[in-house]
Amino acid sequence: QSALTQPASVSGSPGQSITISCTGTSSDVGGYNYVSWYQQHPGKAPKLMIYDVTNRPSGVSNRFSGSKSGNTASLTISGLQAEDEADYYCSSYTSSSTLVFGGGTKLTVL
Amino acid sequence: EVQLLESGGGLVQPGGSLRLSCAASGFTFSRYAMSWVRQAPGKGLEWVSAISGTGGSTYYADSVKGRVTISRDNSKNTLYLQMNSLRAEDTAVYYCAKDEYCSSTSCSPANWGQGTLVTVSS
């Protein structure tokens, strides 16, 4: 199972919006509405930000939103804040009953 | 409050074995599927394995299938990962996670421990 494809890095200024893409295949992202997004700060454990493409766990800011079109899922962060600077990973359920992660995207808040 | 505490990591020679443990508290352990996810130094996340709440169903990544066994002891609220025939590429921080938001087929690892480092080197 190949890793999902994410851009290595994205950046934005405080207050702006950014979008991170996550591209897979019809056997994972495109075949199921089971895409999750994780935020990871350096030296910390990942934190679940979005599950099932669009849903936010309790306590996650509504500045974070998810969507999907075909084989590509996206995470949008609006009103960028300094504390959003982190690595972001997507994951998807696959037709092999496994999970696959993306390679990760480093978000820099300028 | 959900707490997950991994242990058992350390330095092991190539070809060796190691058993990781994850002690869970703050929730009814037997009701939740659990996962192991690893992260090689400076690299991204890699899903390793998952197990249902009863332990009756297990799932593995191709990269570890046949070398790794996931199990759980619901009487001890503990998750395990037995790793055999270890390779240098197995070097990583291993996280255990409580799966939530489950559908009929998929869950999301939602609560994560702080991880335990496994180093495979001679």
Side-chain angles (χ1 to χ4, degrees), chain A residues 46-88:
Chain A
K47 176 185 177 183
L48 179 65
M49 306 301 285
I50 297 286
Y51 68 95
D52 293 353
V53 179
T54 61
N55 297 316
R56 281 187 309 275
S58 175
V60 172
S61 171
N62 60 9
R63 297 186 298 105
F64 292 82
S65 62
S67 63
K68 192 187 84 166
S69 177
N71 294 339
T72 298
S74 298
L75 172 71
T76 298
I77 308 174
S78 59
L80 265 182
Q81 300 179 0
E83 62 257 34
D84 298 333
E85 185 163 294
D87 293 326
Y88 290 84

Side-chain angles (χ1 to χ4, degrees), chain A residues 34 36 38 40 45 51 89 93, chain B residues 39 45 47 101 103 105 108-109 113:
Chain A
Y34 299 138
S36 297
Y38 295 86
Q40 186 180 34
Y51 68 95
Y89 296 90
Y93 178 76
Chain B
Q39 186 169 34
L45 301 174
W47 178 84
Y101 312 113
S103 67
T105 54
S108 293

